[in-house]
Amino acid sequence: MRVGCPKEIKNHEYRVGLTPGSVREYVAHGHEVLVETGAGAGIGADDNAYRAAGATVAKTAADVFAKSDMIVKVKEPQPNEWVQLRDGQILYTYLHLAPDPEQTKGLLASGVTAVAYETVTDDRGGLPLLAPMSEVAGRLSIQAGATALQKANGGRGVLLGGVPGVLPGKVTVLGGGVVGLHAAKMAVGLGADVTIIDRSIPRLRHLDDIFAGRVHTRYSTVEALEEECFSADIVVGAVLIPGAAAPKLVTREMLSGMKKGSVLVDVAIDQGGCFETSHATTHAEPTYEVDGVIHYCVANMPGAVPVTSAHALNNATLHHGLQLADKGLKALVDDHHLRNGLNVHKGKITNRAVAEALGYEM
Ligand code: NAD
């Protein structure tokens, strides 16, 4: 099969669908790989790195779309990309169709077979192609929060690890899933005093086990939320109710009980945010202040670290990508987890949640 990787064109997207390392794997499986010139520039991989890995470098995206049997990307196709997709071609990328009727119409009209990273499942009920970005965002949340906590950046001027003779800073993590776990790891690593709040007792048990006494865990009640937010220097919002908007766990009223210059990092902002006063920000202007509390609400946090993010994403997507390249559509028949990723096929929506969200028949 000929596998194509165009350069990402969404604003401020620096990741790439195939790293040179992934190209080598496709080539080793007997596939041809066509990569648009400059596709890896955002992660420091130039055209020669791709040639060395066995790819052919194409001058234009149009060339990649026209000549490839399968397109591997990162972000959902943009309008001038979806018009280049066609019947019989496979698209393998993040799609997030539910809130995007225009893109859905474009993909349906193209006839493409579109497999969405975010709906591929695994045996443990997880979303393995989404998890690496939650790992990145979780780890980054503490870096971002610690920076915002510095006086010159508007924060209250606390060093998370403290120093001998001075207490460490306090970090409260709301939601102990993938983001929350990785936020807690970084905060513990910096020497902070960390509390994780979750509404799942089995999850709290698991976190208590793996952190072996180095974090406090609390069941999610209004009382626990107030106590832990009012005493925190950083609060990380990392809750998720699958398919629903994030619950507003911290209300505007609660801000008045928080320390001046403390920091809210709302990682759940892509689901609407879990603080009432959150609104999405960008890497160019990541923070703003409400009632003396600094808010960091960047919706695409992994975009700040594209080198790490692109490699983590490729690690997660490579196996299924190779299956699609090796077997074509039969890969979807053979593996029900990969089939859960199938969102659109020959002008029809094939994922129930997406169809219901957009009001299509299945
Ligand atoms: P996850 O499903 O692994 O974890 C969510 C956790 O929230 C679960 O443990 C659940 O029990 C807990 N929870 C749900 N309701 C709660 C409540 N009322 N009180 C306390 N805990 C509650 O999800 P995840 O992968 O960790 O993702 C968390 C959020 O981060 C999602 O909204 C995700 O989309 C977002 N995210 C954002 C970025 C970004 O760049 N901003 C990147 C990756 C992920």
Side-chain angles (χ1 to χ4, degrees):
M1 185 177 276
R2 190 182 285 136
V3 179
C5 177
K7 186 173 168 63
E8 292 298 315
I9 56 171
K10 194 166 177 181
N11 203 12
H12 287 298
E13 180 54 65
Y14 302 104
R15 289 172 293 175
V16 60
L18 293 176
T19 60
S22 292
V23 168
R24 276 182 74 173
E25 300 292 325
Y26 280 88
V27 171
H29 276 236
H31 304 293
E32 273 181 65
V33 181
L34 194 56
V35 176
E36 182 183 349
T37 181
I43 63 158
D46 63 13
D47 290 351
N48 282 335
Y50 280 97
R51 287 191 189 98
T56 303
V57 174
K59 284 208 179 71
T60 62
D63 221 19
V64 175
F65 280 100
K67 292 182 179 161
S68 305
D69 305 300
M70 171 160 109
I71 300 287
V72 184
K73 273 176 54 60
V74 178
K75 296 304 284 186
E76 70 279 3
Q78 304 300 297
N80 62 341
E81 291 178 318
W82 72 57
V83 293
Q84 299 182 68
L85 297 166
R86 60 170 189 276
D87 193 356
Q89 198 172 41
I90 296 172
L91 172 67
Y92 183 49
T93 191
Y94 285 121
L95 289 178
H96 297 289
L97 288 180
D100 195 348
E102 287 309 307
Q103 188 206 161
T104 307
K105 273 187 222 153
L107 294 185
L108 290 171
S110 72
V112 78
T113 297
V115 179
Y117 293 161
E118 71 274 7
T119 61
V120 174
T121 51
D122 66 18
D123 281 335
R124 291 178 300 165
L127 300 171
L129 309 199
L130 211 48
M133 294 307 105
S134 289
E135 292 170 352
V136 170
R139 291 187 176 208
L140 198 56
S141 67
I142 299 302
Q143 262 177 243
T147 305
L149 198 54
Q150 291 174 23
K151 196 73 179 168
N153 299 326
R156 63 186 297 261
V158 169
L159 182 63
L160 278 186
V163 288
V166 181
L167 288 175
K170 183 169 171 357
V171 175
T172 296
V173 180
L174 309 183
V178 182
V179 169
L181 167 65
H182 286 270
K185 274 191 179 173
M186 295 304 273
V188 165
L190 286 176
D193 178 13
V194 182
T195 300
I196 308 176
I197 298 185
D198 204 290
R199 64 173 184 173
S200 156
I201 290 174
R203 185 67 187 172
L204 291 176
R205 256 187 211 121
H206 173 68
L207 293 165
D208 183 71
D209 271 350
I210 57 177
F211 280 107
R214 284 177 302 155
V215 303
H216 317 286
T217 57
R218 285 194 77 173
Y219 184 67
S220 184
T221 60
V222 173
E223 181 181 67
L225 285 166
E226 284 184 353
E227 285 176 7
E228 299 304 332
C229 290
F230 293 171
S231 56
D233 296 297
I234 296 178
V235 179
V236 176
V239 297
L240 176 67
I241 300 176
K248 305 286 179 216
L249 297 184
V250 176
T251 61
R252 173 153 199 158
E253 210 188 333
M254 282 170 70
L255 295 191
S256 61
M258 291 185 64
K259 296 179 196 166
K260 296 291 171 213
S262 56
V263 177
L264 297 178
V265 180
D266 202 345
V267 185
I269 190 68
D270 60 342
Q271 299 289 330
C274 54
F275 309 129
E276 191 181 352
T277 43
S278 293
H279 63 74
T281 60
T282 62
H283 291 295
E285 267 186 67
T287 59
Y288 61 94
E289 189 210 300
V290 182
D291 296 347
V293 176
I294 311 298
H295 291 54
Y296 174 103
C297 306
V298 174
N300 66 330
M301 292 177 68
V305 288
V307 175
T308 305
S309 302
H311 284 100
L313 179 62
N314 271 251
N315 289 346
T317 58
L318 181 63
H319 169 74
H320 288 306
L322 287 172
Q323 298 294 305
L324 283 166
D326 290 349
K327 302 185 190 173
L329 298 185
K330 188 167 181 299
L332 299 164
V333 178
D334 291 352
D335 181 343
H336 70 281
H337 288 305
L338 181 56
R339 192 161 65 245
N340 285 337
L342 184 67
N343 278 213
V344 171
H345 177 57
K346 288 194 182 295
K348 290 223 156 55
I349 295 184
T350 50
N351 179 290
R352 189 161 301 283
V354 171
E356 279 170 9
L358 290 164
Y360 282 83
E361 295 282 316
M362 244 185 79

